[in-house]
Structures are given as C-alpha cells and as structure tokens.
Amino acid sequence: MTHEYVIGLRGVVLGAVPDAGTPAGPSPTAVAWAADRMLAVGTDDEVRGISRGDSTFLDLAGCAVMPLPSDVVAAERLVRAAVARGRPFDPVRLLADAGLLAADATIEVGAPADLAFWTADPATVPASDAATVGVIAVLRAGHFTDGDEHVGPFARLPGS
C-alpha cells in the first residue's frame, strides 16, 4: 500500500534537523509527509523533488511549522506573551523549556507527522501584533484535525 505524499511549500520550518551529511544551507521552507511520518524537510525545491507525480501540494503562505506542542492553547498563550515582550526568542526552545514540547522534539525525516502550523514565525511578529499569533492548523499522525484532511486551511498548489 502506498500513501499520498502531502508537500507543504512556502513556509517557515522551525525545529528542523537537517539530514545527516547535508551541509548547512538556506533555512527550510517546506515539509512533506505520508501516512504518519515525515518524508522530507528542506527548501521548496528540495522537498518538491520527492514528489512521485501524485502528491498534494499545499501553499503554507509564510506560516510557521513547528513540532506539535502537548497543549496548543497553553503554547499560544506563552508565545503571545513572549511576542508582546518584544525581545528576541526562539519559539521552539521557549515551548521546550516550558515543558510543552519534548526536549528532543524536532521535524526530521522519519519523525512522527505531528505538527503545529502558526500564523507566522512568532519570533518575527512585532509586539504590537502579539494577539494575531496563533495555531491555525494541527496535524496529528499525518492528518489535519479540522477541515479537509488533504488541505486543512491551506490552498492547493498545482502539482509539479
């Protein structure tokens, strides 16, 4: 049995671990999963390249992708408070230090496809816009928890 590949492009991937042996390069902007496992993380072109021709492509439109916190509501409150303070911070580290993410929570090939999609990278949102920061989609075991499991809140992009 083969599973449909879902490929999210044009995002900001936080908490990503590069493949072993891959030199450091541009920040990852794309993720791919099938069933309940991560297939790829990297640049749009790198991740687009794993498509078998029948993949679903999603436009993340600048949303931030992070490992799924254990309590999404508490994570949103904590991150909004950090944004409101207006000081630099690492959202993944903040949530891990608060016990809302496992210390080893990462987005990497083979990891569970459990992700939180945020309105934007919280570390780049101005303090005046703290109230706009939040999780807009949750992926558990490779399926969006609300809405169409293939699209969630994201627009489909034409296949490559």
Side-chain angles (χ1 to χ4, degrees):
M1 171 185 214
T2 62
H3 297 282
E4 176 185 27
Y5 288 13
V6 181
I7 299 173
L9 305 169
R10 296 184 348 104
V12 177
V13 182
L14 305 174
V17 173
D19 290 338
T22 303
S27 297
T29 57
V31 293
W33 66 90
D36 65 346
R37 293 286 155 193
M38 297 302 303
L39 298 176
V41 63
T43 65
D44 287 355
D45 288 338
E46 291 167 342
V47 176
R48 185 183 284 115
I50 74 160
S51 175
R52 301 173 305 188
D54 62 349
S55 303
T56 296
F57 290 87
L58 306 179
D59 184 359
L60 302 180
C63 290
V65 183
M66 292 180 11
L68 182 63
S70 57
D71 182 335
V72 172
V73 173
E76 285 180 323
R77 287 183 188 139
L78 180 60
V79 168
R80 284 181 187 141
V83 170
R85 282 194 297 272
R87 294 186 212 128
F89 70 101
D90 174 347
V92 173
R93 176 124 192 162
L94 176 73
L95 295 178
D97 289 349
L100 295 169
L101 280 179
D104 60 350
T106 58
I107 299 174
E108 61 185 304
V109 174
D114 296 329
L115 305 172
F117 296 83
W118 293 72
T119 52
D121 176 355
T124 65
V125 175
S128 60
D129 293 335
T132 67
V133 175
V135 173
I136 60 170
V138 169
L139 190 76
R140 288 186 199 279
H143 297 282
F144 286 104
T145 58
D146 293 314
D148 182 319
E149 70 176 11
H150 299 293
V151 180
F154 306 108
R156 287 184 188 228
L157 292 170
S160 297

